[in-house]
Amino acid sequence: MNVVSKDLTIFVPKVFNNVDCTFVKLVLDEESFQTNVRDYSQLVDAHANHNKLDDAERIIKKMNEKGIMHDILTKTIMIHMYCKAGKLDLAKEAFESLRTQGFQPDMKVYTSMILAYVNVGDQKSAKALLTDIEFKNLKPSEDLFLAVLRSYAVIADPVGASWVMDRMHIAGYQSGLESNSYMVEVYSRSGSPEEARKYFDEIIKSGNKPDDKCVARMIAAYANKNLLDEALRLLLQLEKDGIELGLDTYSVLIDWLGKLQLIDEAEDLLGKFTEKGVSPSLDVHISLCDMYSRSREEKKTLQALGVLEANKEKLKHDEFERVINGLIAGGFRKDADRIRTLMIDRGFKESNQLNVAFQAFQTFNRTRSSRK
């Protein structure tokens, strides 16, 4: 039998250029080829780069069957591959194996792992790896810090967000538009409008303009505490500074005005969507349904409710409950029952508060009927 050329680099680039990869696998099985770990790692890398995870895993399995130990390059490839594919458990296994064998993960490996943790909402593990990086005198990119900071904003954790900001400053990165915007978001979500305003003002002072999402978050912070005067002063200041409001901010204002039953004012803002030729978002229809229900405007309530029922698969648990509570408050019993059934069919369990509201509503209606 002729000895096959040992240079696998001849074949790997061709695997994904209309050359059947089965040939390369047969070459790896050929005893005279005398394959080693580097041959396998190149093939795994080629498959991983082309998102062929199943094929890459078959090559790894073949390595294991032949008793070929994974070297640092192979494990690094596996970590990137599993992180990209969202297989965090396998990525963690490869990462811990890498460290157990005494290999030092590089910054790219740390970045892949941290982003994988961020993507599944595991801020604790992401923070631990950032701390590990700091001890090893490696420098994360600013984008990596921002990704972790954004994840803390989503879960409204100001302590974690502040920790990331401190680490950014220690690493030599200055606060900028994006990082300050995330701090506005985290304090808005956590119910601290004063702290949110500090970071919002910092954006203005630095010569930047907050985007519509950031403005909306700042207004939402005031709305959560019903600080209407502060919100109005801010809106006047933004107008003076030439900062134009967008649909995200209008959505927040419509929701707030609706809760205050300022229907005419809310409807005026609703016209902004028409002016821009954009349909109101589902959030806006939830706000409108709640507002019209409580004001007992049947026609407009049913119009908004029709949109929500057509998008029932998109509604979250708390959104269902808000709609139902609004319908109960407005006396729309049959509609409340119907939406309650839709919620339960989606697998959501009604809260104790909603259950009590239903019982009180039914009792009140029975009592009122018996008096007639």
Side-chain angles (χ1 to χ4, degrees):
M1 180 182 294
N2 294 330
V3 176
V4 182
S5 169
K6 181 65 173 66
D7 190 1
L8 185 61
T9 59
I10 295 174
F11 303 113
V12 170
K14 295 180 180 179
V15 171
F16 301 101
N17 288 314
N18 299 320
V19 175
D20 192 345
C21 64
T22 302
F23 174 70
V24 176
K25 295 173 186 176
L26 290 173
V27 168
L28 291 177
D29 285 333
E30 172 59 54
E31 292 298 328
S32 62
F33 191 71
Q34 298 178 349
T35 53
N36 59 32
V37 64
R38 189 53 48 86
D39 299 325
Y40 282 97
S41 66
Q42 288 185 80
L43 194 55
V44 171
D45 191 36
H47 283 299
N49 287 336
H50 288 76
N51 298 318
K52 295 181 176 289
L53 183 62
D54 291 341
D55 289 327
E57 289 187 319
R58 277 194 285 270
I59 301 300
I60 293 170
K61 182 180 179 181
K62 179 68 68 175
M63 290 179 69
N64 296 336
E65 291 172 353
K66 285 181 169 288
I68 298 176
M69 296 295 293
H70 302 164
D71 63 358
I72 184 173
L73 178 60
T74 307
K75 289 186 181 297
T76 298
I77 293 169
M78 290 168 64
I79 292 169
H80 291 308
M81 177 180 72
Y82 287 131
C83 285
K84 184 179 179 181
K87 294 193 172 187
L88 185 54
D89 288 342
L90 293 174
K92 286 165 61 177
E93 183 180 319
F95 183 76
E96 292 305 323
S97 176
L98 188 70
R99 296 205 293 189
T100 299
Q101 293 181 23
F103 295 125
Q104 172 63 50
D106 62 16
M107 196 60 240
K108 289 183 179 179
V109 169
Y110 273 115
T111 298
S112 288
M113 286 300 303
I114 290 171
L115 291 178
Y117 283 127
V118 165
N119 287 338
V120 298
D122 187 353
Q123 287 79 13
K124 181 178 179 180
S125 295
K127 179 180 178 181
L129 289 187
L130 277 177
T131 302
D132 194 33
I133 290 171
E134 192 173 44
F135 285 141
K136 290 180 169 56
N137 293 319
L138 297 173
K139 185 176 180 179
S141 68
E142 185 175 14
D143 285 341
L144 182 60
F145 278 121
L146 290 172
V148 180
L149 182 59
R150 180 174 62 250
S151 72
Y152 276 114
V154 170
I155 64 171
D157 183 349
V159 175
S162 297
W163 181 87
V164 176
M165 286 286 277
D166 289 342
R167 302 275 75 72
M168 286 182 66
H169 294 156
I170 291 171
Y173 299 111
Q174 299 298 314
S175 299
L177 174 61
E178 192 170 356
S179 59
N180 283 326
S181 294
Y182 289 139
M183 294 304 290
V184 172
E185 181 176 354
V186 73
Y187 280 113
S188 173
R189 289 181 181 274
S190 61
S192 302
E194 299 85 0
E195 291 298 318
R197 185 61 186 268
K198 290 178 184 178
Y199 287 97
F200 188 88
D201 288 343
E202 189 61 34
I203 293 173
I204 304 294
K205 290 176 184 177
S206 64
N208 292 305
K209 286 188 176 183
D211 62 14
D212 184 43
K213 181 180 178 181
C214 185
V215 175
R217 286 294 180 195
M218 190 62 246
I219 297 301
Y222 285 134
N224 289 336
K225 297 294 184 179
N226 211 26
L227 301 173
L228 188 58
D229 288 343
E230 285 82 350
L232 291 175
R233 280 195 290 269
L234 174 59
L235 291 172
L236 289 172
Q237 183 62 49
L238 293 176
E239 183 181 5
K240 181 180 177 182
D241 293 340
I243 297 176
E244 186 177 345
L245 303 184
L247 297 181
D248 284 341
T249 303
Y250 289 132
S251 297
V252 172
L253 288 170
I254 289 171
D255 184 67
W256 192 0
L257 293 171
K259 289 176 179 177
L260 296 174
Q261 285 295 294
L262 298 173
I263 297 175
D264 291 341
E265 290 80 357
E267 289 182 335
D268 284 343
L269 291 180
L270 189 61
K272 299 292 184 180
F273 288 85
T274 304
E275 290 176 10
K276 294 181 179 292
V278 177
S279 298
S281 66
L282 198 61
D283 288 342
V284 173
H285 285 290
I286 292 170
S287 301
L288 293 175
C289 186
D290 182 63
M291 177 180 73
Y292 290 135
S293 296
R294 294 176 186 278
S295 62
R296 300 178 184 272
E297 296 195 29
E298 183 176 5
K299 182 178 179 180
K300 292 181 178 180
T301 295
L302 295 180
Q303 286 176 340
L305 192 58
V307 175
L308 298 182
E309 288 187 82
N311 293 275
K312 59 181 180 294
E313 297 301 323
K314 299 178 183 178
L315 293 177
K316 302 173 186 175
H317 184 206
D318 61 321
E319 293 170 337
F320 267 114
E321 295 227 347
R322 180 180 178 185
V323 171
I324 296 168
N325 276 312
L327 293 169
I328 291 174
F332 298 95
R333 182 183 63 80
K334 291 182 179 180
D335 298 300
D337 282 334
R338 187 175 70 258
I339 302 303
R340 183 194 193 192
T341 299
L342 288 178
M343 181 183 75
I344 294 172
D345 288 345
R346 282 282 312 279
F348 296 127
K349 184 178 180 180
E350 65 180 358
S351 65
N352 290 333
Q353 182 181 4
L354 182 60
N355 183 268
V356 170
F358 256 108
Q359 290 180 11
F361 183 59
Q362 292 168 349
T363 300
F364 174 77
N365 275 277
R366 282 196 300 269
T367 302
R368 186 172 60 180
S369 297
S370 67
R371 289 176 178 173
K372 290 182 179 180

